[in-house]
Amino acid sequence: MNFDNIEYLQRGNKRQQQAYSTLTNNQILVKLKYFDPILVGTIPIDIDIESSDLDIVCCFADKQEFIITITDSFRNEGNFTIREQKSISDFSIVANFFVDNFEIEIFGQSTPTRQQFAYRHLIVENYLLNKYGEKFRQQIIELKRQGHKTEPAFAIALELTGDPYTELLKYETEDKSPNR
C-alpha cells in the first residue's frame, strides 16, 4: 500500500471517502506540500473509531517557517491551536483544528516523514492487519472503543510486553512492503 498519495481513500469506506473530500476540498495537503505531508493514523488503515482524527506528519528544515505556514494557513479553522512539545529524540510542532466533521492534527518534526514513528507505526500496523485479517482488525477496533490508544491496542492483541510503541517497531523487519 502506498500511503504517500491519498487517492486510495476515494476507494475506501464512507469515512475514508469523507476524509479524502475534507483534505482535498480544503487543500490541507496542498498547503503543507513543502513539508512532505503524509496522512497517518487510524483512518488510512480502517481501524478508526467515531472520535478518530486525521493525523498528518510533516518534516521541516526551518521550525519558524513551519509555524508561520501552519498559522497562516489554518488559524481561521475551528479551535485552532499550535504548540511545541518535546518528544523522545527531538522537538515537535503540533497544530490541531477542526474542518468539516474532522479534527485534524498536524505533527511536524525535523525528522523526515517516512522515518517518524507515526509513519513507521502506520506501515507496521497495516502489515499486521493484512497478516492477521478481519477478526484481528475488529479486535483492534474494539480495544480502541474501550479507550486504548492504537499502539497499546495492537500490543494487547499481540500479547506484547514492554513499551508498545517500540515493541511494534520490531515488526518492521518482518514487513516487506515496497514503502520500506
Side-chain angles (χ1 to χ4, degrees), residues 59-88:
C59 175
F60 57 80
D62 181 327
K63 179 176 82 166
Q64 282 311 117
E65 177 188 18
F66 184 69
I67 291 171
I68 290 167
T69 300
I70 297 296
T71 303
D72 288 350
S73 298
F74 305 113
R75 71 172 154 232
N76 294 324
E77 302 299 347
N79 297 333
F80 175 81
T81 62
I82 190 167
R83 67 192 181 283
E84 186 172 329
Q85 72 182 31
K86 181 82 174 121
S87 61
I88 296 169

Short mmCIF file of all heavy atoms in Angstrom, two decimals, residues 59-88:
data_model
loop_
_atom_site.label_atom_id
_atom_site.label_comp_id
_atom_site.label_asym_id
_atom_site.label_seq_id
_atom_site.Cartn_x
_atom_site.Cartn_y
_atom_site.Cartn_z
N CYS A 59 7.64 17.22 7.75
CA CYS A 59 9.06 17.42 8.05
C CYS A 59 9.43 18.85 7.69
O CYS A 59 9.09 19.33 6.60
CB CYS A 59 9.91 16.45 7.24
SG CYS A 59 11.68 16.72 7.45
N PHE A 60 10.09 19.53 8.61
CA PHE A 60 10.52 20.90 8.33
C PHE A 60 12.02 21.04 8.53
O PHE A 60 12.62 20.36 9.36
CB PHE A 60 9.77 21.92 9.19
CG PHE A 60 9.89 21.68 10.68
CD1 PHE A 60 11.01 22.08 11.39
CD2 PHE A 60 8.85 21.07 11.38
CE1 PHE A 60 11.11 21.87 12.75
CE2 PHE A 60 8.94 20.85 12.75
CZ PHE A 60 10.08 21.25 13.44
N ALA A 61 12.61 21.93 7.75
CA ALA A 61 14.01 22.29 7.94
C ALA A 61 14.12 23.52 8.83
O ALA A 61 15.06 23.68 9.59
CB ALA A 61 14.68 22.55 6.59
N ASP A 62 13.11 24.38 8.73
CA ASP A 62 13.09 25.64 9.49
C ASP A 62 11.81 25.68 10.33
O ASP A 62 10.71 25.81 9.80
CB ASP A 62 13.12 26.80 8.50
CG ASP A 62 13.12 28.16 9.16
OD1 ASP A 62 12.50 28.33 10.23
OD2 ASP A 62 13.74 29.07 8.58
N LYS A 63 11.99 25.55 11.64
CA LYS A 63 10.84 25.50 12.56
C LYS A 63 9.96 26.74 12.44
O LYS A 63 8.73 26.63 12.38
CB LYS A 63 11.34 25.34 13.99
CG LYS A 63 10.24 25.31 15.03
CD LYS A 63 10.78 25.06 16.43
CE LYS A 63 11.29 26.32 17.04
NZ LYS A 63 11.52 26.26 18.48
N GLN A 64 10.56 27.92 12.38
CA GLN A 64 9.77 29.16 12.31
C GLN A 64 8.96 29.23 11.02
O GLN A 64 7.81 29.66 11.03
CB GLN A 64 10.67 30.39 12.48
CG GLN A 64 11.07 30.66 13.91
CD GLN A 64 9.90 30.65 14.89
OE1 GLN A 64 9.85 29.81 15.79
NE2 GLN A 64 8.95 31.54 14.73
N GLU A 65 9.56 28.83 9.92
CA GLU A 65 8.83 28.82 8.65
C GLU A 65 7.62 27.88 8.73
O GLU A 65 6.54 28.20 8.24
CB GLU A 65 9.77 28.38 7.52
CG GLU A 65 9.07 28.27 6.17
CD GLU A 65 9.95 27.64 5.10
OE1 GLU A 65 10.95 26.98 5.42
OE2 GLU A 65 9.59 27.80 3.92
N PHE A 66 7.80 26.73 9.35
CA PHE A 66 6.71 25.77 9.51
C PHE A 66 5.60 26.37 10.37
O PHE A 66 4.42 26.31 10.00
CB PHE A 66 7.24 24.47 10.15
CG PHE A 66 6.22 23.38 10.28
CD1 PHE A 66 5.71 22.74 9.16
CD2 PHE A 66 5.77 22.98 11.53
CE1 PHE A 66 4.76 21.72 9.27
CE2 PHE A 66 4.83 21.96 11.67
CZ PHE A 66 4.33 21.34 10.53
N ILE A 67 5.95 26.96 11.49
CA ILE A 67 4.96 27.58 12.38
C ILE A 67 4.18 28.68 11.65
O ILE A 67 2.95 28.74 11.74
CB ILE A 67 5.64 28.13 13.66
CG1 ILE A 67 6.14 26.98 14.53
CG2 ILE A 67 4.69 29.04 14.44
CD1 ILE A 67 7.02 27.40 15.69
N ILE A 68 4.89 29.51 10.91
CA ILE A 68 4.23 30.59 10.17
C ILE A 68 3.28 30.03 9.12
O ILE A 68 2.14 30.48 8.98
CB ILE A 68 5.29 31.54 9.54
CG1 ILE A 68 5.98 32.34 10.64
CG2 ILE A 68 4.65 32.45 8.49
CD1 ILE A 68 7.25 33.07 10.19
N THR A 69 3.74 29.02 8.38
CA THR A 69 2.89 28.40 7.34
C THR A 69 1.63 27.80 7.95
O THR A 69 0.53 28.01 7.45
CB THR A 69 3.67 27.32 6.57
OG1 THR A 69 4.80 27.93 5.94
CG2 THR A 69 2.78 26.65 5.52
N ILE A 70 1.80 27.04 9.03
CA ILE A 70 0.65 26.41 9.69
C ILE A 70 -0.32 27.48 10.20
O ILE A 70 -1.53 27.40 9.99
CB ILE A 70 1.12 25.51 10.86
CG1 ILE A 70 1.98 24.37 10.36
CG2 ILE A 70 -0.07 24.99 11.67
CD1 ILE A 70 1.31 23.40 9.46
N THR A 71 0.22 28.47 10.87
CA THR A 71 -0.62 29.53 11.45
C THR A 71 -1.34 30.30 10.35
O THR A 71 -2.56 30.52 10.44
CB THR A 71 0.24 30.47 12.33
OG1 THR A 71 0.89 29.68 13.33
CG2 THR A 71 -0.62 31.52 12.99
N ASP A 72 -0.62 30.73 9.31
CA ASP A 72 -1.24 31.48 8.22
C ASP A 72 -2.30 30.66 7.49
O ASP A 72 -3.32 31.19 7.07
CB ASP A 72 -0.18 31.95 7.21
CG ASP A 72 0.68 33.08 7.75
OD1 ASP A 72 0.36 33.64 8.83
OD2 ASP A 72 1.71 33.40 7.09
N SER A 73 -2.06 29.37 7.35
CA SER A 73 -2.97 28.51 6.59
C SER A 73 -4.21 28.08 7.36
O SER A 73 -5.27 27.88 6.76
CB SER A 73 -2.22 27.24 6.13
OG SER A 73 -1.16 27.57 5.28
N PHE A 74 -4.09 27.91 8.68
CA PHE A 74 -5.17 27.25 9.41
C PHE A 74 -5.70 28.01 10.63
O PHE A 74 -6.62 27.53 11.29
CB PHE A 74 -4.71 25.85 9.85
CG PHE A 74 -4.23 25.00 8.70
CD1 PHE A 74 -2.89 24.64 8.58
CD2 PHE A 74 -5.12 24.59 7.70
CE1 PHE A 74 -2.45 23.87 7.52
CE2 PHE A 74 -4.67 23.82 6.63
CZ PHE A 74 -3.34 23.45 6.54
N ARG A 75 -5.18 29.18 10.93
CA ARG A 75 -5.61 29.88 12.15
C ARG A 75 -7.09 30.22 12.18
O ARG A 75 -7.66 30.41 13.26
CB ARG A 75 -4.77 31.13 12.38
CG ARG A 75 -5.04 32.23 11.40
CD ARG A 75 -4.33 33.52 11.78
NE ARG A 75 -4.10 34.32 10.60
CZ ARG A 75 -2.93 34.82 10.25
NH1 ARG A 75 -1.88 34.62 11.01
NH2 ARG A 75 -2.82 35.51 9.15
N ASN A 76 -7.74 30.30 11.03
CA ASN A 76 -9.16 30.63 11.00
C ASN A 76 -10.06 29.40 11.09
O ASN A 76 -11.28 29.51 11.06
CB ASN A 76 -9.50 31.44 9.74
CG ASN A 76 -8.83 32.79 9.76
OD1 ASN A 76 -8.70 33.42 10.82
ND2 ASN A 76 -8.37 33.25 8.61
N GLU A 77 -9.47 28.22 11.19
CA GLU A 77 -10.24 26.99 11.33
C GLU A 77 -10.69 26.84 12.79
O GLU A 77 -10.12 27.43 13.70
CB GLU A 77 -9.42 25.77 10.89
CG GLU A 77 -8.92 25.83 9.46
CD GLU A 77 -10.02 25.91 8.40
OE1 GLU A 77 -11.20 25.67 8.71
OE2 GLU A 77 -9.69 26.23 7.24
N GLY A 78 -11.71 26.02 12.99
CA GLY A 78 -12.30 25.85 14.32
C GLY A 78 -11.32 25.35 15.36
O GLY A 78 -10.58 24.40 15.11
N ASN A 79 -11.30 26.01 16.51
CA ASN A 79 -10.48 25.61 17.67
C ASN A 79 -8.99 25.45 17.34
O ASN A 79 -8.34 24.55 17.87
CB ASN A 79 -11.01 24.32 18.30
CG ASN A 79 -12.41 24.49 18.84
OD1 ASN A 79 -12.82 25.58 19.21
ND2 ASN A 79 -13.15 23.40 18.90
N PHE A 80 -8.47 26.31 16.49
CA PHE A 80 -7.06 26.21 16.10
C PHE A 80 -6.14 26.41 17.31
O PHE A 80 -6.30 27.36 18.08
CB PHE A 80 -6.72 27.25 15.04
CG PHE A 80 -5.26 27.29 14.68
CD1 PHE A 80 -4.73 26.36 13.80
CD2 PHE A 80 -4.41 28.24 15.24
CE1 PHE A 80 -3.38 26.38 13.47
CE2 PHE A 80 -3.06 28.27 14.92
CZ PHE A 80 -2.55 27.34 14.03
N THR A 81 -5.20 25.50 17.47
CA THR A 81 -4.13 25.64 18.46
C THR A 81 -2.82 25.16 17.82
O THR A 81 -2.83 24.32 16.92
CB THR A 81 -4.37 24.80 19.74
OG1 THR A 81 -4.41 23.42 19.40
CG2 THR A 81 -5.65 25.21 20.45
N ILE A 82 -1.73 25.72 18.30
CA ILE A 82 -0.41 25.26 17.86
C ILE A 82 0.51 25.33 19.07
O ILE A 82 0.41 26.26 19.89
CB ILE A 82 0.13 26.09 16.67
CG1 ILE A 82 1.39 25.45 16.08
CG2 ILE A 82 0.31 27.54 17.03
CD1 ILE A 82 1.80 26.01 14.72
N ARG A 83 1.37 24.32 19.20
CA ARG A 83 2.26 24.27 20.35
C ARG A 83 3.54 23.51 19.98
O ARG A 83 3.56 22.76 19.02
CB ARG A 83 1.59 23.60 21.54
CG ARG A 83 1.30 22.12 21.33
CD ARG A 83 0.37 21.53 22.40
NE ARG A 83 0.13 20.13 22.21
CZ ARG A 83 -0.69 19.59 21.31
NH1 ARG A 83 -1.36 20.37 20.48
NH2 ARG A 83 -0.85 18.28 21.22
N GLU A 84 4.55 23.75 20.78
CA GLU A 84 5.78 22.99 20.64
C GLU A 84 5.82 21.97 21.76
O GLU A 84 5.42 22.28 22.90
CB GLU A 84 6.98 23.93 20.74
CG GLU A 84 8.29 23.25 20.47
CD GLU A 84 9.46 24.22 20.38
OE1 GLU A 84 9.25 25.37 19.96
OE2 GLU A 84 10.57 23.81 20.74
N GLN A 85 6.23 20.76 21.46
CA GLN A 85 6.35 19.75 22.50
C GLN A 85 7.64 18.96 22.30
O GLN A 85 8.10 18.78 21.19
CB GLN A 85 5.13 18.83 22.55
CG GLN A 85 5.00 17.85 21.41
CD GLN A 85 3.73 17.01 21.50
OE1 GLN A 85 2.72 17.46 22.02
NE2 GLN A 85 3.79 15.82 21.00
N LYS A 86 8.19 18.53 23.40
CA LYS A 86 9.40 17.72 23.37
C LYS A 86 9.01 16.27 23.15
O LYS A 86 8.08 15.77 23.76
CB LYS A 86 10.13 17.87 24.71
CG LYS A 86 11.41 17.11 24.80
CD LYS A 86 12.55 17.85 24.14
CE LYS A 86 13.86 17.12 24.39
NZ LYS A 86 14.54 16.72 23.20
N SER A 87 9.68 15.61 22.24
CA SER A 87 9.44 14.18 22.02
C SER A 87 10.70 13.43 22.42
O SER A 87 11.66 14.02 22.90
CB SER A 87 9.06 13.91 20.56
OG SER A 87 10.10 14.31 19.70
N ILE A 88 10.70 12.15 22.22
CA ILE A 88 11.80 11.30 22.68
C ILE A 88 13.16 11.80 22.19
O ILE A 88 14.09 11.94 22.97
CB ILE A 88 11.58 9.84 22.23
CG1 ILE A 88 10.33 9.28 22.90
CG2 ILE A 88 12.79 8.98 22.54
CD1 ILE A 88 9.86 7.96 22.33
#
